[in-house]
Amino acid sequence: MQALNFPKYSFRFKNSENKVSIFDAIRKKFVILQPEEWVRQHCVHYLMEEKNYPKSLINVEKELVINDLKKRYDIVVFNPNGSIHIIVECKAPKIIINQDTFDQVARYNLALNASYLMVTNGLNHYYCVMDFNAEKYDFLKDIPSYSLQ
């Protein structure tokens, strides 16, 4: 897999039936290593190791329903009170992040009401804070590190 614009992390891999899998510490299982999964796993480690979010507050690849459509978010970070702090949308490195990508995560956020959004293809990372009163988001240089609110 290609190098990404994240710090270097140590991952567990296994080969089975000519497929490489990577261990997901959140789901506690090996998952097939696809380009988007490579980005997702780097992002999970980034949240835990660089931003100090507890593993117990991170959730990966869960279904949500928006306008009667079933969707799956990539990563959600919860606040200790159970509300959603951050939604992360991961794309494969070859996917260019554009307005459609932001619209996708913003649609998810209509249902989830996260305070922060992160969109990454592993090479470029974009961070936003929500302004619910003005119904817009503002770009940030990074997402905040974990702290007890």
Side-chain angles (χ1 to χ4, degrees):
M1 286 280 147
Q2 80 181 81
L4 300 178
N5 187 16
F6 281 104
K8 298 280 184 245
Y9 299 114
S10 153
F11 297 104
R12 288 173 46 203
F13 300 97
K14 82 173 183 184
N15 281 309
S16 177
E17 299 173 14
N18 290 332
K19 291 192 177 136
V20 176
S21 294
I22 187 169
F23 188 76
D24 182 323
I26 304 302
R27 291 178 276 184
K28 296 182 176 73
K29 66 179 185 177
F30 282 93
V31 291
I32 300 292
L33 183 56
Q34 302 283 352
E36 184 178 312
E37 191 63 46
W38 184 234
V39 172
R40 185 169 26 251
Q41 292 307 314
H42 275 80
C43 197
V44 165
H45 282 263
Y46 171 77
L47 291 167
M48 292 188 306
E49 296 178 33
E50 312 307 319
K51 295 298 178 178
N52 299 314
Y53 286 95
K55 190 189 306 188
S56 61
L57 294 180
I58 300 173
N59 204 315
V60 174
E61 283 243 293
K62 290 284 192 233
E63 190 174 271
L64 68 147
V65 177
I66 300 173
N67 298 329
D68 297 326
L69 296 173
K70 290 182 179 181
K71 304 286 185 183
R72 290 182 86 74
Y73 61 70
D74 285 309
I75 303 169
V76 162
V77 179
F78 291 94
N79 289 305
N81 70 5
S83 64
I84 296 178
H85 188 57
I86 304 168
I87 301 173
V88 183
E89 180 63 27
C90 300
K91 298 293 184 191
K94 71 177 192 324
I95 304 294
I96 294 169
I97 295 174
N98 58 22
Q99 189 63 48
D100 290 341
T101 316
F102 279 97
D103 290 347
Q104 177 184 0
V105 76
R107 274 193 305 277
Y108 290 177
N109 205 32
L110 291 174
L112 300 174
N113 294 313
S115 304
Y116 296 91
L117 308 177
M118 177 179 173
V119 179
T120 181
N121 63 3
L123 305 173
N124 300 298
H125 318 299
Y126 299 93
Y127 313 96
C128 305
V129 61
M130 296 303 300
D131 181 342
F132 290 105
N133 293 330
E135 296 182 353
K136 68 182 183 89
Y137 47 82
D138 294 312
F139 285 91
L140 303 171
K141 289 192 185 305
D142 201 351
I143 52 172
S145 293
Y146 178 74
S147 64
L148 291 172
Q149 283 83 344

